[in-house]
Amino acid sequence: MKLENDFLYGNTGGTTAIIGEANTYKRFLTFGSAFSSAYRKEHTLFLLLNKNDKSVRRKLQCPARMNKKCPNNCLDCYKYLHFMNIVLGCITPEEFLYFLFQQIDTKYEDKSIKRIIIDDLQIIEYCFPFLFQDPLFIPALVDECRSRKIALYILCDKSSSMREELRVLADNVVCTNRNSKGNLELYVERYSGYNAISSKIFAGRIRKVDNLFTCYELGSRGNQQTIYEIDPNEIDNLNVYSMSDYWNAKK
């Protein structure tokens, strides 16, 4: 259960790549990460690449709220979620990193951004030629976030040509898939939090995605603590020993 929470919530820090086909709940998983951070009063920056931020904001809903188990006032969480949209253009890697970390250095009630979520990395291939052509752009971004101790989440389409670079550089690699019945399957190809069995692949099939995240209060009245976590009862374990079928699949 600790593993299930840590790799999604970024408790181990570092860079997490979430790679999968379209409509495999990649953004939904990062929403869980962001709201988990928000209830702890930590700020998250959603970095959008040439996207309509109003559309993304409309979809931004606490995953724990979907099954109506969340005891919190969600307005308290939303104030810890911030957006930055970089529009289509010939921005250089140096300019990109400069403006990004200018935003990161902005203080919110004397607190800084602790987490960055980059939405749809593959858009760089089509909208940002200078970023796409520079092989050091992603390594520089990852290195800068590590040095600042900022948890970095990067969403990427499975078919993107940038996926291999991302798989190599990320500390944690989470892969998403929909099986023939439409159920969500998660594979953790790499996880930096393993202690002894570093080659193990964590895999699970989600029974009902709407119930995956839960937020509840624990303890007696006056001494309550809010817990935000993944419900392990919604995950059926899968025995996976190799990711070759996943990466070689045509679909």
Side-chain angles (χ1 to χ4, degrees), residues 182-217:
N183 300 116
L184 173 64
E185 296 176 343
L186 293 179
Y187 308 92
V188 181
E189 184 180 43
R190 180 183 301 128
Y191 174 58
S192 63
Y194 283 128
N195 293 322
I197 45 177
S198 58
S199 295
K200 178 178 174 60
I201 297 173
F202 170 83
R205 180 180 295 115
I206 312 304
R207 294 179 182 178
K208 188 175 181 182
V209 176
D210 288 359
N211 295 336
L212 180 59
F213 295 95
T214 183
C215 182
Y216 59 94
E217 292 180 343

Coordinates of all heavy atoms in Angstrom, one line a residue, residues 182-217:
G182 N -11.8 -2.6 -21.5 CA -11.9 -1.2 -21.1 C -11.3 -0.9 -19.7 O -11.4 0.3 -19.3
N183 N -10.9 -1.9 -19.0 CA -10.4 -1.7 -17.6 C -9.0 -1.0 -17.7 O -8.1 -1.3 -18.6 CB -10.2 -3.0 -16.9 CG -11.6 -3.7 -16.7 OD1 -11.8 -4.8 -17.3 ND2 -12.5 -3.0 -16.0
L184 N -8.7 -0.1 -16.8 CA -7.4 0.5 -16.7 C -6.4 -0.4 -16.0 O -6.7 -1.0 -15.0 CB -7.5 1.8 -15.8 CG -6.2 2.5 -15.5 CD1 -5.5 3.0 -16.8 CD2 -6.4 3.7 -14.6
E185 N -5.2 -0.6 -16.7 CA -4.1 -1.3 -16.1 C -2.9 -0.4 -15.9 O -2.6 0.4 -16.8 CB -3.8 -2.5 -17.0 CG -4.9 -3.5 -17.2 CD -4.5 -4.6 -18.1 OE1 -3.6 -4.5 -18.9 OE2 -5.2 -5.7 -18.1
L186 N -2.2 -0.5 -14.8 CA -1.1 0.3 -14.5 C 0.1 -0.6 -14.3 O 0.1 -1.7 -13.7 CB -1.3 1.0 -13.2 CG -2.3 2.1 -13.1 CD1 -2.4 2.7 -11.7 CD2 -2.0 3.2 -14.1
Y187 N 1.3 -0.2 -14.9 CA 2.5 -0.9 -14.8 C 3.6 0.1 -14.3 O 3.7 1.2 -14.9 CB 3.0 -1.5 -16.1 CG 1.9 -2.3 -16.8 CD1 1.1 -1.7 -17.7 CD2 1.8 -3.7 -16.5 CE1 0.1 -2.5 -18.4 CE2 0.8 -4.4 -17.2 CZ 0.0 -3.8 -18.1 OH -1.0 -4.6 -18.7
V188 N 4.3 -0.3 -13.3 CA 5.4 0.6 -12.8 C 6.7 -0.1 -13.3 O 7.2 -1.0 -12.7 CB 5.4 0.7 -11.3 CG1 6.6 1.6 -10.9 CG2 4.1 1.3 -10.8
E189 N 7.2 0.4 -14.4 CA 8.4 -0.1 -15.1 C 9.6 0.2 -14.3 O 10.6 -0.6 -14.2 CB 8.5 0.4 -16.5 CG 9.7 -0.2 -17.3 CD 9.8 0.4 -18.7 OE1 9.6 1.6 -18.8 OE2 10.0 -0.4 -19.6
R190 N 9.7 1.3 -13.7 CA 10.8 1.7 -12.8 C 10.3 2.5 -11.7 O 9.4 3.3 -11.8 CB 11.8 2.5 -13.6 CG 13.0 3.0 -12.8 CD 14.0 3.8 -13.5 NE 14.5 3.2 -14.7 CZ 14.4 3.7 -16.0 NH1 13.9 4.9 -16.1 NH2 14.9 3.1 -17.0
Y191 N 10.9 2.2 -10.5 CA 10.5 2.9 -9.3 C 11.7 3.1 -8.4 O 12.4 2.2 -8.0 CB 9.4 2.1 -8.5 CG 9.0 2.7 -7.2 CD1 8.5 4.0 -7.1 CD2 9.2 1.9 -6.0 CE1 8.2 4.5 -5.9 CE2 8.8 2.4 -4.8 CZ 8.3 3.7 -4.7 OH 8.0 4.2 -3.5
S192 N 12.0 4.4 -8.1 CA 13.3 4.7 -7.4 C 13.2 4.3 -5.9 O 14.2 4.3 -5.2 CB 13.6 6.2 -7.5 OG 12.6 7.0 -7.0
G193 N 12.0 4.0 -5.5 CA 11.8 3.7 -4.0 C 12.1 2.3 -3.6 O 12.0 1.9 -2.5
Y194 N 12.3 1.4 -4.6 CA 12.6 0.0 -4.3 C 13.9 -0.1 -3.5 O 14.9 0.6 -3.8 CB 12.7 -0.8 -5.5 CG 11.4 -1.2 -6.2 CD1 11.2 -1.0 -7.5 CD2 10.4 -1.8 -5.4 CE1 10.1 -1.4 -8.1 CE2 9.2 -2.2 -6.1 CZ 9.1 -2.0 -7.4 OH 7.9 -2.3 -8.0
N195 N 13.9 -0.9 -2.4 CA 15.1 -1.1 -1.6 C 15.9 -2.3 -2.1 O 17.1 -2.2 -2.3 CB 14.7 -1.2 -0.2 CG 14.1 0.0 0.4 OD1 14.6 1.1 0.1 ND2 13.1 -0.1 1.2
A196 N 15.3 -3.5 -2.2 CA 16.1 -4.7 -2.4 C 15.8 -5.3 -3.8 O 16.7 -5.7 -4.5 CB 15.7 -5.7 -1.3
I197 N 14.5 -5.3 -4.2 CA 14.2 -5.9 -5.5 C 14.0 -4.9 -6.6 O 12.9 -4.6 -7.0 CB 13.0 -6.8 -5.3 CG1 11.9 -6.1 -4.5 CG2 13.3 -8.1 -4.6 CD1 10.6 -6.9 -4.4
S198 N 15.1 -4.3 -7.1 CA 15.0 -3.2 -8.0 C 14.4 -3.6 -9.4 O 14.0 -2.7 -10.1 CB 16.4 -2.6 -8.2 OG 17.3 -3.6 -8.6
S199 N 14.4 -4.9 -9.7 CA 13.9 -5.3 -11.0 C 12.5 -5.7 -11.0 O 12.0 -6.1 -12.1 CB 14.8 -6.4 -11.6 OG 16.1 -6.0 -11.8
K200 N 11.8 -5.6 -9.9 CA 10.4 -6.0 -9.8 C 9.5 -5.0 -10.6 O 9.8 -3.8 -10.6 CB 10.0 -6.0 -8.4 CG 8.5 -6.4 -8.2 CD 8.1 -6.5 -6.7 CE 6.6 -6.7 -6.5 NZ 6.1 -7.9 -7.1
I201 N 8.5 -5.5 -11.3 CA 7.5 -4.7 -12.0 C 6.2 -4.7 -11.2 O 5.7 -5.8 -11.0 CB 7.3 -5.2 -13.4 CG1 8.6 -5.0 -14.2 CG2 6.2 -4.4 -14.1 CD1 8.5 -5.7 -15.6
F202 N 5.8 -3.6 -10.7 CA 4.5 -3.5 -10.0 C 3.4 -3.4 -11.1 O 3.5 -2.5 -12.0 CB 4.4 -2.4 -9.0 CG 3.0 -2.1 -8.5 CD1 2.5 -2.9 -7.4 CD2 2.2 -1.2 -9.1 CE1 1.3 -2.6 -6.9 CE2 0.9 -1.0 -8.6 CZ 0.5 -1.7 -7.5
A203 N 2.4 -4.2 -11.0 CA 1.3 -4.1 -12.0 C -0.1 -4.4 -11.4 O -0.2 -5.2 -10.5 CB 1.5 -5.1 -13.2
G204 N -1.1 -3.6 -11.8 CA -2.4 -3.8 -11.2 C -3.5 -3.4 -12.2 O -3.3 -2.6 -13.0
R205 N -4.6 -4.1 -12.0 CA -5.8 -3.7 -12.8 C -6.8 -3.0 -11.9 O -7.1 -3.5 -10.8 CB -6.4 -5.0 -13.4 CG -7.7 -4.7 -14.2 CD -8.3 -6.0 -14.8 NE -7.4 -6.6 -15.8 CZ -6.8 -7.8 -15.6 NH1 -7.1 -8.5 -14.4 NH2 -6.0 -8.3 -16.5
I206 N -7.3 -1.9 -12.3 CA -8.2 -1.1 -11.5 C -9.6 -1.5 -11.7 O -10.1 -1.6 -12.9 CB -8.0 0.4 -11.9 CG1 -6.6 0.9 -11.9 CG2 -8.8 1.3 -10.9 CD1 -5.8 0.6 -10.6
R207 N -10.3 -1.8 -10.6 CA -11.7 -2.3 -10.7 C -12.6 -1.2 -11.2 O -13.4 -1.3 -12.2 CB -12.2 -2.8 -9.4 CG -11.4 -4.1 -8.9 CD -11.9 -4.6 -7.6 NE -11.2 -5.8 -7.1 CZ -11.4 -6.3 -6.0 NH1 -12.3 -5.9 -5.1 NH2 -10.7 -7.4 -5.6
K208 N -12.6 -0.1 -10.5 CA -13.4 1.1 -10.9 C -12.6 2.3 -10.7 O -12.3 2.7 -9.5 CB -14.7 1.1 -10.1 CG -15.7 2.2 -10.6 CD -17.0 2.1 -9.8 CE -17.9 3.2 -10.3 NZ -19.2 3.2 -9.6
V209 N -12.2 3.0 -11.7 CA -11.3 4.2 -11.6 C -11.9 5.3 -10.7 O -11.2 5.9 -9.9 CB -11.0 4.7 -13.0 CG1 -10.2 6.0 -12.9 CG2 -10.3 3.7 -13.9
D210 N -13.2 5.5 -10.7 CA -13.8 6.5 -9.9 C -13.6 6.3 -8.4 O -13.6 7.3 -7.7 CB -15.3 6.6 -10.2 CG -15.7 7.1 -11.5 OD1 -14.7 7.5 -12.3 OD2 -16.9 7.2 -11.9
N211 N -13.3 5.1 -8.0 CA -13.1 4.8 -6.6 C -11.6 4.6 -6.2 O -11.3 4.2 -5.1 CB -13.9 3.5 -6.2 CG -15.4 3.7 -6.3 OD1 -15.9 4.8 -6.3 ND2 -16.1 2.6 -6.5
L212 N -10.7 4.9 -7.2 CA -9.3 4.6 -6.9 C -8.7 5.5 -5.8 O -8.0 5.0 -4.9 CB -8.5 4.8 -8.2 CG -7.0 4.6 -8.1 CD1 -6.7 3.1 -7.7 CD2 -6.3 4.9 -9.4
F213 N -9.1 6.8 -5.8 CA -8.6 7.7 -4.7 C -9.6 7.9 -3.6 O -10.8 8.0 -3.9 CB -8.2 9.0 -5.4 CG -7.1 8.9 -6.3 CD1 -7.3 8.8 -7.7 CD2 -5.7 9.0 -5.9 CE1 -6.3 8.7 -8.6 CE2 -4.7 8.9 -6.8 CZ -5.0 8.8 -8.2
T214 N -9.1 8.0 -2.4 CA -10.0 8.2 -1.3 C -9.4 9.2 -0.4 O -8.2 9.3 -0.2 CB -10.3 6.9 -0.5 OG1 -11.2 7.1 0.5 CG2 -9.0 6.3 0.0
C215 N -10.3 10.0 0.2 CA -9.8 11.1 1.2 C -10.8 11.0 2.4 O -12.0 11.1 2.2 CB -9.9 12.4 0.5 SG -9.4 13.8 1.5
Y216 N -10.2 10.8 3.6 CA -11.0 10.6 4.7 C -10.3 11.1 6.0 O -9.1 11.4 5.9 CB -11.4 9.1 4.9 CG -10.2 8.2 5.1 CD1 -9.7 7.8 6.3 CD2 -9.5 7.7 3.9 CE1 -8.6 7.0 6.5 CE2 -8.4 6.8 4.1 CZ -8.0 6.5 5.3 OH -6.9 5.7 5.5
E217 N -11.0 11.2 7.1 CA -10.5 11.7 8.3 C -10.3 10.5 9.3 O -11.1 9.6 9.4 CB -11.4 12.7 8.9 CG -11.5 14.0 8.1 CD -12.4 15.1 8.8 OE1 -13.2 14.7 9.6 OE2 -12.2 16.2 8.4

